[in-house]
PDB file of all heavy atoms in Angstrom:
ATOM      1  N   GLY A 137      58.787 136.786 112.899  1.00 79.00           N
ATOM      2  CA  GLY A 137      59.713 136.103 112.001  1.00 79.00           C
ATOM      3  C   GLY A 137      59.933 136.872 110.710  1.00 79.00           C
ATOM      4  O   GLY A 137      59.085 137.657 110.270  1.00 79.00           O
ATOM      5  N   ALA A 138      61.075 136.636 110.090  1.00 74.00           N
ATOM      6  CA  ALA A 138      61.406 137.317 108.844  1.00 74.00           C
ATOM      7  C   ALA A 138      60.542 136.827 107.683  1.00 74.00           C
ATOM      8  O   ALA A 138      60.300 137.564 106.730  1.00 74.00           O
ATOM      9  CB  ALA A 138      62.887 137.106 108.523  1.00 74.00           C
ATOM     10  N   ARG A 139      60.082 135.580 107.771  1.00 77.00           N
ATOM     11  CA  ARG A 139      59.238 135.012 106.713  1.00 77.00           C
ATOM     12  C   ARG A 139      57.917 134.527 107.299  1.00 77.00           C
ATOM     13  O   ARG A 139      57.843 134.169 108.475  1.00 77.00           O
ATOM     14  CB  ARG A 139      59.958 133.842 106.033  1.00 77.00           C
ATOM     15  CG  ARG A 139      61.191 134.241 105.237  1.00 77.00           C
ATOM     16  CD  ARG A 139      61.905 133.025 104.701  1.00 77.00           C
ATOM     17  NE  ARG A 139      62.444 132.204 105.780  1.00 77.00           N
ATOM     18  CZ  ARG A 139      63.142 131.080 105.604  1.00 77.00           C
ATOM     19  NH1 ARG A 139      63.344 130.637 104.392  1.00 77.00           N
ATOM     20  NH2 ARG A 139      63.608 130.402 106.629  1.00 77.00           N
ATOM     21  N   ASP A 140      56.891 134.497 106.467  1.00 82.00           N
ATOM     22  CA  ASP A 140      55.591 133.991 106.890  1.00 82.00           C
ATOM     23  C   ASP A 140      55.699 132.479 107.080  1.00 82.00           C
ATOM     24  O   ASP A 140      55.974 131.745 106.129  1.00 82.00           O
ATOM     25  CB  ASP A 140      54.541 134.319 105.821  1.00 82.00           C
ATOM     26  CG  ASP A 140      53.144 133.833 106.200  1.00 82.00           C
ATOM     27  OD1 ASP A 140      52.995 133.260 107.300  1.00 82.00           O
ATOM     28  OD2 ASP A 140      52.212 134.032 105.404  1.00 82.00           O
ATOM     29  N   PRO A 141      55.478 131.979 108.303  1.00 87.00           N
ATOM     30  CA  PRO A 141      55.631 130.539 108.524  1.00 87.00           C
ATOM     31  C   PRO A 141      54.446 129.722 108.036  1.00 87.00           C
ATOM     32  O   PRO A 141      54.477 128.496 108.083  1.00 87.00           O
ATOM     33  CB  PRO A 141      55.763 130.448 110.050  1.00 87.00           C
ATOM     34  CG  PRO A 141      54.963 131.592 110.556  1.00 87.00           C
ATOM     35  CD  PRO A 141      55.132 132.690 109.536  1.00 87.00           C
ATOM     36  N   GLY A 142      53.364 130.384 107.603  1.00 87.00           N
ATOM     37  CA  GLY A 142      52.235 129.658 107.053  1.00 87.00           C
ATOM     38  C   GLY A 142      51.150 129.319 108.054  1.00 87.00           C
ATOM     39  O   GLY A 142      50.283 128.492 107.766  1.00 87.00           O
ATOM     40  N   TYR A 143      51.174 129.933 109.220  1.00 92.00           N
ATOM     41  CA  TYR A 143      50.124 129.688 110.204  1.00 92.00           C
ATOM     42  C   TYR A 143      49.951 130.927 111.070  1.00 92.00           C
ATOM     43  O   TYR A 143      50.798 131.821 111.093  1.00 92.00           O
ATOM     44  CB  TYR A 143      50.453 128.476 111.090  1.00 92.00           C
ATOM     45  CG  TYR A 143      51.716 128.657 111.917  1.00 92.00           C
ATOM     46  CD1 TYR A 143      51.669 129.258 113.176  1.00 92.00           C
ATOM     47  CD2 TYR A 143      52.960 128.223 111.453  1.00 92.00           C
ATOM     48  CE1 TYR A 143      52.820 129.439 113.934  1.00 92.00           C
ATOM     49  CE2 TYR A 143      54.109 128.392 112.193  1.00 92.00           C
ATOM     50  CZ  TYR A 143      54.033 128.999 113.438  1.00 92.00           C
ATOM     51  OH  TYR A 143      55.173 129.173 114.180  1.00 92.00           O
ATOM     52  N   ASP A 144      48.843 130.972 111.797  1.00 93.00           N
ATOM     53  CA  ASP A 144      48.528 132.060 112.706  1.00 93.00           C
ATOM     54  C   ASP A 144      48.069 131.425 114.012  1.00 93.00           C
ATOM     55  O   ASP A 144      46.986 130.836 114.080  1.00 93.00           O
ATOM     56  CB  ASP A 144      47.420 132.943 112.103  1.00 93.00           C
ATOM     57  CG  ASP A 144      46.986 134.083 113.015  1.00 93.00           C
ATOM     58  OD1 ASP A 144      47.310 134.056 114.220  1.00 93.00           O
ATOM     59  OD2 ASP A 144      46.309 134.998 112.527  1.00 93.00           O
ATOM     60  N   MET A 145      48.892 131.522 115.037  1.00 93.00           N
ATOM     61  CA  MET A 145      48.590 130.835 116.297  1.00 93.00           C
ATOM     62  C   MET A 145      47.300 131.332 116.949  1.00 93.00           C
ATOM     63  O   MET A 145      46.675 130.602 117.713  1.00 93.00           O
ATOM     64  CB  MET A 145      49.745 131.001 117.285  1.00 93.00           C
ATOM     65  CG  MET A 145      50.926 130.101 117.003  1.00 93.00           C
ATOM     66  SD  MET A 145      50.674 128.471 117.712  1.00 93.00           S
ATOM     67  CE  MET A 145      52.279 127.730 117.442  1.00 93.00           C
TER      68      MET A 145
END
Side-chain angles (χ1 to χ4, degrees):
R139 293 175 295 181
D140 181 1
Y143 62 88
D144 178 345
M145 282 276 188

